Amino acid sequence: MKKPGGAEKKKKQAAPKDVFQAFAEKARDHKDLVSRWAVLQETRVEYFRGKDFVSFVRNHLELKDILESDRSLEAEDIANILLKKNLLVRCGRVVKTVRPGKKKLSTFPAHLEIYHDQVFSENDAFFAWTFVKRRPLWQTLLSFCWPILTLAICLFPVYPHQVKLLILYSCAGLLLLILCLLLLRGLVFGALWILLGKRFWLFPNILAEEATLKELFQFWPQKDEGERPKWTARLFYAIAGVVVISILRHHAPDEAARARYQKRVSNIIDDVLEWSPSLALSGMIEKQPVVNITEPIDNVTDSKSSDEKLFSSGDLDDETISNEEVTENTEDSDHHQNI
């Protein structure tokens, strides 16, 4: 019989779960803690500001229940313990000067460096998570789909014609949408910057590397914090834009050149769409030499070699005969001249 105290001993021997690790995972996954991504020593990390962490802990006191006996600690004390346990690392800005045209430093810098004093602070201090975030289930399932997608892309030539057309028009439409969106952003920005001196970007985070999915599709830009550009700079870029557009219009291809280019591109697309394994195999079969199956291979090769010898000997005989005729003709002509 098993002793009743065996299960209790196993529980005591098992390592207790770190409550601060659980608190850090819960805080990192919480949507109310404002965080961004940046580059720290050639590594992308997720970080937050010190004052945002303090306000987060004060507004979500229920998270302190995870700490059990340490639930009475303040936000600063909790952060210092996380720093000692290497769950956080304090970072500082790489660029510490205001960029030209800006009034203050960026709220969330894109590049960070490790701060020399690893103590919590609210004043312009940033803290990056050091542990690996648990991957959700949908990301795990998506990782298994990448090899299937790669295989599907490689098998595009053997797809039916209708499927090829669907994929082609979908990709072309998506590419055209992206190019039109970027062109519209540039035109709107250039027109408002030259006419009004305002920096106005539609979808301001569409090209940002560290933006989240929600920030990526943000339509309306934030308030412009930069200084208004000088009228001389606006006038210069306006004249430069007019000159560039005039040069492009002057050197634009004519209708015949555009028609030739369009025909060339359409031919390439047709070759890709109309290709099929059956056509490829039929082309390979046509290129192969025709061999009589009833004859053995040795006889075929022997006959080929004998034919080549006959042709070569016949060619030599013809050459010798022609040379003899030439010499005879030259001798006759010399004899007549002597007479």
Side-chain angles (χ1 to χ4, degrees):
M1 293 179 65
K2 294 183 179 180
K3 295 182 180 180
E8 295 180 357
K9 288 182 180 180
K10 289 183 179 180
K11 290 182 179 179
K12 291 180 180 179
Q13 290 176 359
K17 185 178 179 180
D18 190 357
V19 292
F20 288 95
Q21 173 77 29
F23 176 85
E25 293 176 355
K26 196 73 174 179
R28 185 175 183 178
D29 293 334
H30 207 286
K31 62 180 181 180
D32 290 341
L33 180 59
V34 182
S35 62
R36 294 291 188 276
W37 288 87
V39 178
L40 175 63
Q41 294 181 349
E42 299 181 357
T43 304
R44 295 186 74 248
V45 294
E46 186 180 6
Y47 73 99
F48 56 87
R49 298 184 301 177
K51 59 181 181 180
D52 292 335
F53 182 79
V54 173
S55 61
F56 169 75
V57 174
R58 290 174 181 173
N59 295 330
H60 298 84
L61 297 176
E62 68 277 3
L63 292 178
K64 286 187 175 183
D65 296 336
I66 302 175
L67 301 177
E68 297 176 356
S69 59
D70 296 324
R71 64 172 58 93
S72 60
L73 294 176
E74 296 294 332
E76 293 82 356
D77 299 330
I78 296 173
N80 284 322
I81 294 175
L82 294 178
L83 289 170
K84 291 179 181 179
K85 290 180 175 291
N86 293 325
L87 297 173
L88 286 177
V89 59
R90 183 176 175 179
C91 307
R93 300 174 183 270
V94 174
V95 180
K96 300 178 176 62
T97 57
V98 181
R99 293 184 299 174
K102 298 290 184 180
K103 295 181 180 179
K104 60 180 181 179
L105 294 171
S106 59
T107 306
F108 290 95
H111 297 273
L112 299 173
E113 60 183 2
I114 297 178
Y115 197 72
H116 59 86
D117 190 8
Q118 293 294 314
V119 179
F120 182 79
S121 176
E122 297 184 38
N123 301 323
D124 199 29
F126 307 96
F127 300 89
W129 302 106
T130 58
F131 60 91
V132 179
K133 188 177 181 180
R134 290 184 179 180
R135 182 179 296 179
L137 179 61
W138 67 271
Q139 289 186 0
T140 305
L141 297 177
L142 186 62
S143 63
F144 288 103
C145 295
W146 286 118
I148 300 174
L149 180 61
T150 305
L151 182 62
I153 294 173
C154 296
L155 294 177
F156 175 79
V158 300
Y159 287 168
H161 185 72
Q162 299 296 332
V163 179
K164 289 182 180 179
L165 287 178
L166 178 62
I167 296 174
L168 176 64
Y169 290 141
S170 300
C171 296
L174 182 60
L175 180 61
L176 183 62
L177 177 63
I178 294 173
L179 293 177
C180 291
L181 179 60
L182 296 178
L183 181 61
L184 179 63
R185 292 178 73 243
L187 291 176
V188 171
F189 176 82
L192 294 179
W193 188 83
I194 292 174
L195 297 176
L196 304 177
K198 298 290 185 181
R199 298 177 180 87
F200 185 86
W201 285 107
L202 295 175
F203 294 99
N205 301 322
I206 196 69
L207 300 177
E209 297 180 358
E210 294 83 14
T212 61
L213 187 62
K214 182 179 179 181
E215 296 172 349
L216 193 65
F217 295 99
Q218 179 184 350
F219 177 76
W220 202 255
Q222 297 178 354
K223 186 178 179 181
D224 185 15
E225 299 177 353
E227 297 179 357
R228 189 171 182 177
K230 298 180 180 179
W231 67 271
T232 53
R234 292 157 56 189
L235 181 61
F236 171 76
Y237 283 106
I239 295 173
V242 172
V243 171
V244 170
I245 293 173
S246 301
I247 294 174
L248 293 177
R249 288 194 61 185
H250 180 70
H251 294 282
D254 54 1
E255 292 293 335
R258 285 196 291 265
R260 289 194 301 269
Y261 180 75
Q262 182 180 359
K263 185 177 180 181
R264 192 182 308 165
V265 173
S266 62
N267 291 335
I268 295 173
I269 295 174
D270 291 338
D271 292 339
V272 174
L273 294 177
E274 294 175 0
W275 187 92
S276 64
S278 59
L279 292 175
L281 292 176
S282 63
M284 293 173 61
I285 293 172
E286 290 177 357
K287 292 180 180 179
Q288 292 180 355
V290 180
V291 180
N292 191 356
I293 303 175
T294 58
E295 296 181 359
I297 298 174
D298 297 334
N299 295 336
V300 174
T301 55
D302 293 339
S303 62
K304 287 183 178 179
S305 60
S306 62
D307 292 339
E308 291 176 355
K309 290 179 181 178
L310 289 174
F311 281 119
S312 61
S313 62
D315 294 337
L316 291 173
D317 294 338
D318 293 339
E319 290 179 357
T320 54
I321 291 170
S322 61
N323 291 330
E324 291 177 356
E325 290 178 351
V326 170
T327 54
E328 290 177 356
N329 293 330
T330 55
E331 289 176 357
D332 293 339
S333 61
D334 295 336
H335 179 70
H336 285 298
Q337 287 179 359
N338 294 327
I339 292 172

